[in-house]
Amino acid sequence: PTVFKSIGVQGTNTSLLTTGIFGVIKTVITLVWLFYLIDRLGRRALLMYGAVAGSFCMWYIAVYIKVADPAHHPTANGQLSAGGKSAMAFFYLWTACYTPSWNGTPWVLNSEMFDQNVRTLAQAFAASCNWLFNFLIARFTP
């Protein structure tokens, strides 16, 4: 709900609904990724697509939040502005780009690229690095 508040979503029920839609999109795209995309498009293509398309979506959302500042300038009627609706659409589009690319593909790629003798250690190291950097980003960024 924090991301949606920064876009300008107000009210507990609305925040929970938007978060629920986020979860549904992520689940559906994960199933499509699992059963179709990962073997059809390939790992590299998925990562490149996710990086470019996801970056574009995040740039759009960041510019909207910086320019409109919806957290400090809410609309009079409590509804999202047109820019807020487009920012939310870009957030859902980012979800559709991130989920089949950087959400699970690095784990598959990492499990396939190491020799059987060191695969367990490499997976453990990759997981610990992922958790460490996720913690650092969550802890030290606003």
Side-chain angles (χ1 to χ4, degrees), residues 34-93:
L34 183 63
F35 293 120
Y36 183 75
L37 292 176
I38 191 73
D39 289 325
R40 298 283 197 284
L41 292 180
R43 282 83 167 131
R44 185 174 186 266
L46 281 173
L47 292 174
M48 295 300 286
Y49 156 76
V52 171
S55 174
F56 176 74
C57 293
M58 282 293 144
W59 276 105
Y60 181 87
I61 295 167
V63 167
Y64 168 73
I65 291 172
K66 182 66 177 172
V67 171
D69 196 15
H72 294 104
H73 302 100
T75 57
N77 59 2
Q79 299 290 327
L80 277 176
S81 65
K85 291 176 184 175
S86 67
M88 187 174 296
F90 271 93
F91 183 77
Y92 290 141
L93 182 61

Side-chain angles (χ1 to χ4, degrees), residues 6 10 13 26 30 42 45 63 67 76-77 85 95 108 114 135:
S6 66
Q10 298 173 347
N13 289 339
K26 197 164 184 176
T30 297
V63 167
V67 171
N77 59 2
K85 291 176 184 175
T95 304
V108 173
F114 290 105
F135 167 75

Side-chain angles (χ1 to χ4, degrees), residues 64-137:
Y64 168 73
I65 291 172
K66 182 66 177 172
V67 171
D69 196 15
H72 294 104
H73 302 100
T75 57
N77 59 2
Q79 299 290 327
L80 277 176
S81 65
K85 291 176 184 175
S86 67
M88 187 174 296
F90 271 93
F91 183 77
Y92 290 141
L93 182 61
W94 171 83
T95 304
C97 296
Y98 172 79
T99 301
S101 59
W102 291 95
N103 191 37
T105 304
W107 296 99
V108 173
L109 192 62
N110 190 49
S111 70
E112 295 172 345
M113 65 191 245
F114 290 105
D115 185 53
Q116 187 67 26
N117 297 331
V118 295
R119 186 171 296 163
T120 304
L121 181 63
Q123 282 290 91
F125 185 72
S128 62
C129 286
N130 184 350
W131 294 334
L132 172 67
F133 287 108
N134 282 341
F135 167 75
L136 292 174
I137 289 170

Side-chain angles (χ1 to χ4, degrees), residues 2-44:
T2 305
V3 172
F4 295 113
K5 285 182 186 175
S6 66
I7 292 175
V9 174
Q10 298 173 347
T12 305
N13 289 339
T14 307
S15 291
L16 292 176
L17 176 65
T18 55
T19 303
I21 293 170
F22 167 76
V24 168
I25 291 172
K26 197 164 184 176
T27 301
V28 169
I29 297 293
T30 297
L31 292 173
V32 171
W33 169 78
L34 183 63
F35 293 120
Y36 183 75
L37 292 176
I38 191 73
D39 289 325
R40 298 283 197 284
L41 292 180
R43 282 83 167 131
R44 185 174 186 266

